[in-house]
Amino acid sequence: MRTRTTDDEAPHSLADAKQDVDPILETFVYLYTESRRATKDIAREHGLTGPQVTVLKLLEGVGDLSLSDLSERIQARNSTITGIVDRMQRDGLVLRRRSERDRRVIEIVLTPRGRALARAIPVQPMQMFASALRALPREDRETLRRILRAMSDHVRAASDDTPT
């Protein structure tokens, strides 16, 4: 049986496609698993969850964010982020503050305690990935960004079609 790909219109057998796709999927699984493992270990050391570490480090790096912006950057639903932020606020790591630029927007802000904890937490997974990406030629990084964006768009569209 022969199939056609949408990108290059070159015929490929299903076995060829599986041979091409399986190693890529295995790499995604490895990177995801390694990142989760490292983040969970770091989080556990500090009495946090992995997503809480992600929020702390993101806010430390980019500054205050609205709930929607935070959700978008972490690629999670607003309801999921709300629960994470609620627990972090309860623990004195973040607070909600009305934006000075747009009074309708509520921003998530690190407290002094949250800022100190964020500084104390290393970002090993992000540093490892960033280092590996910086080692790639610029053209490869641009190609990878384009491919990953297309994959993300496809997954997002498929998940939007999935009933919850």
Side-chain angles (χ1 to χ4, degrees):
M1 174 177 204
R2 308 290 276 181
T3 60
R4 288 192 172 277
T5 64
T6 56
D7 292 332
D8 59 9
E9 294 301 316
H12 293 287
S13 71
L14 291 176
D16 288 344
K18 181 173 173 43
Q19 185 177 354
D20 289 346
V21 170
D22 284 354
I24 296 168
L25 289 175
E26 289 169 9
T27 301
F28 278 128
V29 169
Y30 166 74
L31 293 171
Y32 174 77
T33 302
E34 187 60 22
S35 172
R36 293 275 309 220
R37 184 199 56 75
T39 302
K40 282 175 103 173
D41 290 348
I42 292 165
R44 194 176 306 115
E45 289 174 22
H46 296 279
L48 301 169
T49 65
Q52 288 174 329
V53 168
T54 301
V55 169
L56 280 175
K57 295 308 286 184
L58 183 58
L59 292 174
E60 177 192 37
V62 301
D64 309 340
L65 292 171
S66 71
L67 194 66
S68 296
D69 289 340
L70 190 57
S71 296
E72 185 177 317
R73 287 179 181 252
I74 295 178
Q75 297 295 303
R77 297 183 192 278
N78 275 359
S79 58
T80 301
I81 297 300
T82 297
I84 293 166
V85 169
D86 285 348
R87 287 184 292 282
M88 293 177 74
Q89 186 171 10
R90 179 197 65 210
D91 295 340
L93 301 174
V94 299
L95 55 90
R96 288 173 167 94
R97 179 183 69 199
R98 197 163 296 280
S99 170
E100 294 174 8
R101 291 182 301 272
D102 183 344
R103 303 294 294 160
R104 297 168 295 175
V105 175
I106 302 296
E107 295 176 325
I108 311 305
V109 179
L110 286 175
T111 63
R113 179 173 182 242
R115 197 172 299 105
L117 188 55
R119 276 194 303 270
I121 295 174
V123 285
Q124 291 169 325
M126 297 301 273
Q127 289 170 343
M128 288 186 302
F129 292 155
S131 174
L133 288 167
R134 280 192 292 274
L136 295 173
R138 181 181 193 80
E139 183 177 303
D140 288 354
R141 290 193 308 266
E142 290 170 359
T143 300
L144 180 59
R145 186 174 35 250
R146 180 184 52 76
I147 292 167
L148 291 173
R149 187 176 307 117
M151 289 180 65
S152 294
D153 291 347
H154 183 82
V155 168
R156 188 173 297 110
S159 65
D160 287 347
D161 291 343
T162 305
T164 53

